[in-house]
Every structure is written in structure tokens, then in C-alpha cells.
């Protein structure tokens, strides 16, 4: 009996002294959309400038930038680099047609009539986009038009990152494109490559977590060589930083001593 009591005593003290750890995966706490007409300098919604390159030969080079703020302190910029028959443009000609807030209110930035895309709100356009919103993003390739009808993604902004379903790419040019995520503070990048598009039409869905998990492009169909194949998976490779280093939660000395006295009294009373 004494040996068991000693075992219980030691085990109880170990539990009291064991550290409490607190570490959560990062979450998105704020997001922003910015749409600009290129004027020789690339901007993001927070007012930062960044480097890019353009081979676009159309009359209106608009580009959209989404920024995500995480609760681990990271600020991440999303753009869409494109390489096609006309060259490389980063960010690609992209227009946020509209965004819909969690209450179902749609905020129009462009209108698409036939083969033309025209802004209905003056540019540059910048807005904070609440978590739970959806951004309708359209892309033009480097061909000499401005219809912004060569790619479409409906981006769902969640606290865990980005999701989209039934995205499309089409048009006469081939497309090598990605979603490029850039840490604004360190300039580290994470590229999530979309399925290669030849001269046909592609369809796919995607999940891009911003919590350290792998990104996945799935349900790939159409004329792409990736159609019907395995999902495309992309590891962030330490791009997303931990929310916090595990830290010990200190136990107040008074509470520890009181707990030890109670345990000792309990064992003593059993012996009596």
C-alpha cells in the first residue's frame, strides 16, 4: 500500500509540474483586394510596391493583388504569374470582377459584356475583404485584346486559406501559370502551379491552406495533359511560419504548494 501511495504521489507531482503547451496553426485574420491599371509600378493593397515583368500587348493592362494577414505576423501577397505564347507577364493581366461579402452583398468592380471587360469603379480599387468572402478573379492572356476571358477563379477566403471550385482556363494560347504567394517581409515565395493549358479548355479545383499544410489542385479535366491524373500537391516548405514556439505555462508557486499539501494529506489519511 505504501509503495502504491508513493507512486500516486510522484505521479501527481509530475502532472502538476508538466508544462502546458500552446501552439496553434496560423489563421487568416484580414484580407484585402487591390485592382490597378499598370502605370510602370506595381502596387499592392497595403501601398507596397514590388517587382514584376510584362509581355502584355493588349490596350488595358489591369492586375489584381490579394493580401492576407495571418495571426502569426506574416503578411502574404498573392499574384498570378503567366507564361504563354506571347511571353511572361507577372502579375498576369487580371481583373477582380467583383467580390461578395459574407452577408451576400456583391461589390462590382468590372462588368463583362460580350467580349469586353470594363471597370464600373474607378481604379485603383482597394478594399478590405472580410473572412468568408468570395472574390471573382478573371484573367487575360498576353494576346492583343482586353476581354479578360482566358481564366476564371472564384476564390473563397477562409481563416484557413483559399479554396476554389470549377476554375477554368481557355483561349487560343497555351498557359503556364501559378498562384504566387510572397511573404512581404522576407520576400520568400511559394508557387502553386495550375494545370498546363494547351489550346483547349481546362477545369480544376483547389485548396491552398495558409496554415502550413500542403496545397492541392484536384478534379482536373479538359484538354490539359493533367486531366484525369492524380491531384497536384505543393508543399509550403517552411513558407508558412508557426504561430508560436511552444512555451511553458508557469504554475504559481502557491498553487503548487497547496496542491502538494492536499495530496500529502490525502495519502496520510488513507494510511490512518
Amino acid at each position: 500500500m505504501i509503495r502504491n501511495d508513493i507512486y500516486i504521489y510522484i505521479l501527481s507531482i509530475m502532472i502538476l509540474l508538466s508544462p502546458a503547451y500552446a501552439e496553434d496553426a496560423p489563421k487568416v485574420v484580414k484580407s484585402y483586394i487591390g485592382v490597378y491599371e499598370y502605370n510602370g509600378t506595381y502596387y499592392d493593397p497595403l501601398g507596397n510596391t514590388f517587382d514584376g515583368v510584362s509581355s502584355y500587348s493588349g490596350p488595358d493592362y489591369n492586375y489584381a493583388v490579394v493580401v492576407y494577414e495571418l495571426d502569426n505576423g506574416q503578411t502574404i501577397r498573392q499574384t498570378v504569374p503567366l507564361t504563354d505564347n506571347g511571353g511572361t507577364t507577372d502579375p498576369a493581366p487580371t481583373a477582380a470582377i467583383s467580390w461578395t461579402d459574407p452577408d451576400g452583398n456583391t461589390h462590382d468592380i468590372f462588368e463583362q459584356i460580350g467580349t469586353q471587360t470594363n471597370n464600373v469603379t474607378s481604379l485603383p480599387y482597394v478594399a478590405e475583404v472580410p473572412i468568408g468572402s468570395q472574390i471573382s478573379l478573371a484573367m487575360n492572356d498576353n494576346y492583343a485584346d482586353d476581354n479578360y476571358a482566358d481564366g476564371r477563379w472564384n476564390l473563397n477566403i477562409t481563416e484557413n486559406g483559399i479554396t476554389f471550385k470549377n476554375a477554368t482556363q481557355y483561349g487560343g494560347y497555351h498557359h503556364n501559370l501559378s498562384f504566387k504567394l510572397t511573404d512581404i517581409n522576407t520576400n520568400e515565395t511559394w508557387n502553386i502551379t495550375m494545370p498546363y493549358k494547351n489550346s483547349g479548355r481546362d477545369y480544376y479545383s483547389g485548396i491552398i491552406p495558409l496554415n502550413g499544410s500542403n496545397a492541392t489542385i484536384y478534379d482536373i479535366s479538359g484538354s490539359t495533359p493533367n486531366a484525369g491524373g492524380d491531384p497536384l500537391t505543393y508543399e509550403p516548405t517552411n513558407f508558412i511560419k508557426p504561430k508560436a514556439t511552444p512555451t511553458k505555462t508557469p504554475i504559481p508557486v502557491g498553487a503548487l504548494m497547496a496542491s502538494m499539501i492536499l495530496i500529502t494529506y490525502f495519502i496520510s489519511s488513507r494510511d490512518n
Side-chain angles (χ1 to χ4, degrees), residues 112 137-141 148-153 168-170 175 177:
Q112 290 186 303
L137 185 67
M139 185 195 75
N140 204 14
D141 55 27
Y148 289 80
D150 300 310
R152 191 69 171 257
W153 302 266
T168 58
Q169 292 182 61
Y170 35 92
H175 294 168
L177 67 83

Side-chain angles (χ1 to χ4, degrees), residues 17-53:
L17 293 175
S18 63
Y21 290 95
E23 183 180 19
D24 296 323
K27 296 184 183 300
V28 180
V29 292
K30 288 185 179 181
S31 62
Y32 306 86
I33 182 67
V35 186
Y36 307 85
E37 184 172 4
Y38 181 62
N39 63 1
T41 302
Y42 293 101
Y43 299 92
D44 70 27
L46 300 184
N48 302 301
T49 61
F50 61 96
D51 294 332
V53 61

Side-chain angles (χ1 to χ4, degrees), residues 98-256:
S98 63
W99 64 276
T100 303
D101 63 37
D103 295 325
N105 302 306
T106 298
H107 307 262
D108 293 319
I109 308 171
F110 290 82
E111 64 176 1
Q112 290 186 303
I113 301 175
T115 60
Q116 296 301 311
T117 301
N118 302 302
N119 58 295
V120 295
T121 301
S122 59
L123 301 180
Y125 175 90
V126 175
E128 181 175 344
V129 178
I131 305 303
S133 299
Q134 183 182 88
I135 299 173
S136 180
L137 185 67
M139 185 195 75
N140 204 14
D141 55 27
N142 285 311
Y143 186 69
D145 61 25
D146 61 350
N147 60 15
Y148 289 80
D150 300 310
R152 191 69 171 257
W153 302 266
N154 291 322
L155 306 178
N156 300 301
I157 311 302
T158 75
E159 65 178 10
N160 294 316
I162 313 151
T163 68
F164 54 88
K165 290 187 176 182
N166 302 317
T168 58
Q169 292 182 61
Y170 35 92
Y173 278 3
H174 73 258
H175 294 168
N176 282 305
L177 67 83
S178 64
F179 282 7
K180 182 169 74 173
L181 303 178
T182 303
D183 186 313
I184 290 177
N185 296 316
T186 66
N187 215 36
E188 295 174 274
T189 59
W190 181 26
N191 284 284
I192 297 92
T193 303
M194 301 298 134
Y196 170 80
K197 190 199 83 67
N198 53 28
S199 59
R201 182 179 293 233
D202 295 354
Y203 305 89
Y204 52 88
S205 300
I207 300 173
I208 304 176
L210 297 179
N211 58 13
S213 301
N214 291 347
T216 304
I217 308 300
Y218 64 99
D219 283 351
I220 305 169
S221 63
S223 61
T224 173
N226 302 109
D230 293 334
L232 306 176
T233 303
Y234 301 95
E235 183 180 354
T237 316
N238 299 320
F239 175 76
I240 301 295
K241 310 307 179 188
K243 182 178 178 181
T245 301
T247 56
K248 296 180 180 179
T249 302
I251 301 173
V253 175
L256 179 60

Side-chain angles (χ1 to χ4, degrees), residues 5-19 251 255-264 267:
D5 287 343
I6 293 174
Y7 175 77
I8 294 172
Y9 182 80
I10 294 173
L11 180 61
S12 301
I13 298 303
M14 289 176 64
I15 293 173
L16 284 172
L17 293 175
S18 63
I251 301 173
L256 179 60
M257 291 180 65
S259 300
M260 293 173 67
I261 291 170
L262 286 173
I263 294 170
T264 303
I267 293 175

